[in-house]
Amino acid sequence: MKNPCEQFVEWLETESGELPPSLRAHLDRCVHCQHEYALHSAYQKAVQAVRSEPVPATQVQWSQIAQRLKAPQARPRWAWRGVWAPALAFGAMAGLGILFWLTPRNHPELARLEQTNPKPFSVGTTSTQSTDTPLSSDGSVLPMPPPTYSDSVVPFSGSVEEPAEPSQRATTSTRELKSEPSPHRREMAMASPEGATSFARNGAPDLRNINPTFQPLEMEPIVPQGGENADYLSVNYNEASQTEATPSDAIICSF
Amino acid sequence: MDDLLGGYTTHTLNDEQLVTRAREGDTEAMEELFQRYRQPLFRIVYRSVRNQDEAEDIVQDVFLKAFERLHLFKERSQFSTWLIRIAMNLCTDRARQSQRRQALLQREADHKLAWMTHPHPPDPEEVVQQNVFHEVFYKALNQLPEPQRQLILMRDIEQMEYEQIAEILKTTVGGVKLRVMRARRALKIQLEPLLRAIGEIE
Ligand SMILES: [Zn+2]
């Protein structure tokens, strides 16, 4: 059972005709309901004022509508959805296909298969097969014995020379890979069917197998910054990403 | 305007008949529907956006959309109801798009209110009092979420029947009554300090 104040407010808000005598008697002695009544009366006055506000006559003419109905630009935007949706879907599928095709395969089985079945050596099929690759005078490639590799080490055509400063090691080899011809590089390219390919298929090459003096940098452990509530999304290092995130990205969610 | 080929004038046809003809591409039927509803529709839209140019743009868009999508119109509801529904959706879209415009209108309303509550207004008292109510009302109304704003406009300003509002909003009459009650309550909360400021309540 609602109390008289609730009943009164309900009567006000439901526009239910005459105020019943019982509620009128309550109104006479209840300050809260008197306030509600005053507010409601002022609301009604404001509503009446707005209703009586003159509205200008519209200037819209049929000719304007008819013209837009006939005009080609009057075609609704949603009409193009039928064209764009399949085109976008096709584009996305093609993009994914290309991405998949270009992405290095990291699966161990694939790597093993590629090692046991080396691709035939061909000239001029890779980006690093530059003009300094030695060829015989008739353009044929000299026969070479098949290479042997240690565990999980894949051919690498870049040369690693001892830099003057340890900090220059990485940059030196990268620079040489890209542009500078060197005798080492020629030897590497000759020594391996895969040698012409400068991108390793099984992650980064182990430089220690090429240059015993090379010392890899140690990874610093991740230290949680958000206390016990910090949660890390897994990040795989040295693994090609489908997104634009770099391998060093670590996403921290605190909540 | 007269459709002599059919032996009728479009004036004598009801909405349903006109819609049927309009669906078949009869532009005279479309024009008759336009003439019937352009001013009532403009009034609703104008009261929602309170700007003549904008209201006219919306009215044009409403008719354009209605005639282009006439095949989607279900004859369970009235054509006028359908037009209002399209208009309300377009008003909602505009409100979402133009929050800057809303802020501008609000500042304009504040300015008018300050001017009209000035101790020595130049207009006759009654006119000023009337205008003060408009501004106070819209200032409070514009604070509400768009669905509540539309309910107040439809029920309290346009005095539409609950049944028609229910049809426009595709809901039940009971649901509309409840929502209108809540919208009024919300509006009164916004109005109270403003009404007190102009001395309408203690
Ligand atoms: Zn009471």
Side-chain angles (χ1 to χ4, degrees):
Chain A
M1 183 68 185
K2 287 174 182 165
N3 68 40
C5 292
E6 286 170 339
Q7 286 179 41
F8 181 76
V9 170
E10 195 176 296
W11 172 81
L12 278 179
E13 288 178 348
T14 53
E15 314 155 277
S16 40
E18 282 280 300
L19 181 64
S22 60
L23 283 180
R24 180 162 291 281
H26 171 76
L27 179 63
D28 289 340
R29 58 177 188 274
C30 177
V31 180
H32 170 75
C33 288
Q34 283 166 13
H35 174 75
E36 285 293 325
Y37 188 69
L39 181 60
H40 186 76
S41 302
Y43 175 83
Q44 295 292 2
K45 264 172 102 170
V47 163
Q48 280 297 337
V50 173
R51 273 187 208 151
S52 61
E53 187 184 31
V55 172
T58 177
Q59 302 301 308
V60 180
Q61 299 300 318
W62 170 246
S63 57
Q64 293 169 290
I65 311 285
Q67 200 177 6
R68 285 179 69 186
L69 276 171
K70 276 183 212 156
Q73 64 266 31
R75 268 176 75 88
R77 271 177 295 174
W78 59 86
W80 288 99
R81 281 182 198 161
V83 178
W84 282 112
L88 282 172
F90 179 78
M93 293 292 284
L96 279 172
I98 289 167
L99 192 70
F100 179 77
W101 187 58
L102 290 175
T103 303
R105 275 66 148 182
N106 289 332
H107 196 279
E109 187 60 20
L110 276 175
R112 194 186 61 76
L113 281 171
E114 286 188 13
Q115 281 179 21
T116 52
N117 300 303
K119 286 175 187 169
F121 186 56
S122 63
V123 178
T125 53
T126 60
S127 59
T128 54
Q129 188 71 37
S130 57
T131 52
D132 62 348
T133 305
L135 299 170
S136 66
S137 57
D138 62 350
S140 63
V141 182
L142 296 170
M144 298 297 293
T148 53
Y149 306 121
S150 59
D151 283 351
S152 76
V153 178
V154 293
F156 178 62
S157 68
S159 76
V160 180
E161 290 169 359
E162 187 66 26
E165 295 292 327
S167 61
Q168 291 176 351
R169 282 173 185 154
T171 52
T172 305
S173 63
T174 308
R175 191 180 65 240
E176 286 188 356
L177 257 178
K178 284 180 182 164
S179 56
E180 294 177 15
S182 79
H184 289 96
R185 183 175 171 184
R186 288 194 190 118
E187 282 165 24
M188 295 295 291
M190 291 293 288
S192 150
E194 286 272 336
T197 307
S198 66
F199 298 102
R201 284 186 175 271
N202 194 15
D206 189 344
L207 297 179
R208 283 170 300 189
N209 288 315
I210 299 162
N211 186 343
T213 60
F214 179 78
Q215 292 295 320
L217 292 171
E218 279 189 19
M219 282 281 194
E220 284 186 19
I222 296 171
V223 180
Q225 295 178 350
E228 288 182 353
N229 292 329
D231 193 12
Y232 292 86
L233 298 180
S234 64
V235 174
N236 295 321
Y237 289 89
N238 293 327
E239 202 172 82
S241 172
Q242 293 289 324
T243 67
E244 288 182 3
T246 63
S248 59
D249 282 342
I251 303 159
I252 302 167
C253 305
S254 292
F255 43 85
Chain B
M1 188 74 166
D2 291 352
D3 183 2
L4 297 172
L5 289 173
Y8 298 100
T9 65
T10 49
H11 306 296
T12 59
L13 299 176
N14 63 28
D15 284 5
E16 210 180 323
Q17 291 166 319
L18 287 170
V19 166
T20 305
R21 289 173 152 224
R23 271 205 189 112
E24 291 159 1
D26 184 341
T27 51
E28 285 183 9
M30 289 184 198
E31 185 178 354
E32 175 60 21
L33 287 166
F34 168 77
Q35 297 298 350
R36 276 182 198 182
Y37 293 113
R38 68 175 190 148
Q39 188 59 29
L41 202 62
F42 177 77
R43 194 185 64 227
I44 296 169
V45 173
Y46 177 80
R47 280 177 166 162
S48 178
V49 298
R50 298 197 88 206
N51 175 298
Q52 178 145 11
D53 289 342
E54 203 169 340
E56 287 183 348
D57 278 354
I58 292 175
V59 168
Q60 274 199 44
D61 287 349
V62 170
F63 281 107
L64 209 62
K65 265 201 165 119
F67 293 137
E68 280 172 347
R69 296 176 171 189
L70 213 48
H71 60 285
L72 297 174
F73 170 60
K74 305 274 189 302
E75 299 195 353
R76 288 195 302 270
S77 62
Q78 290 180 0
F79 184 69
S80 57
T81 302
W82 194 56
L83 286 178
I84 296 169
R85 187 187 304 148
I86 296 172
M88 288 296 161
N89 286 339
L90 287 177
C91 287
T92 303
D93 288 349
R94 292 265 174 149
R96 282 190 190 134
Q97 284 165 9
S98 60
Q99 284 180 337
R100 267 177 57 203
R101 186 186 62 81
Q102 291 289 340
L104 199 73
L105 281 176
Q106 197 60 56
R107 277 213 303 279
E108 212 171 89
D110 289 347
H111 176 75
K112 281 184 188 169
L113 197 60
W115 176 79
M116 281 183 284
T117 50
H118 191 268
H120 306 291
D123 289 17
E125 197 176 319
E126 201 176 310
V127 174
V128 172
Q129 186 66 10
Q130 197 81 337
N131 288 341
V132 167
F133 268 129
H134 294 162
E135 301 313 322
V136 158
F137 185 82
Y138 276 107
K139 187 173 162 57
L141 187 68
N142 290 340
Q143 306 291 320
L144 300 190
E146 190 60 19
Q148 288 193 333
R149 219 174 73 85
Q150 289 183 353
L151 277 169
I152 297 288
L153 286 169
M154 285 192 278
R155 176 63 197 167
D156 286 348
I157 307 301
E158 289 300 319
Q159 296 176 280
M160 286 183 198
E161 295 298 328
Y162 281 116
E163 287 75 12
Q164 193 183 7
I165 299 172
E167 223 177 90
I168 290 167
L169 301 180
K170 290 185 174 175
T171 186
T172 60
V173 172
V176 171
K177 283 184 176 174
L178 195 69
R179 287 197 224 170
V180 166
M181 256 175 68
R182 285 184 189 145
R184 281 185 188 144
R185 178 99 322 251
L187 183 53
K188 281 178 184 174
I189 290 168
Q190 298 295 334
L191 265 176
E192 195 175 343
L194 300 172
L195 290 168
R196 193 173 288 122
I198 61 168
E200 193 57 34
I201 56 169
E202 288 174 8

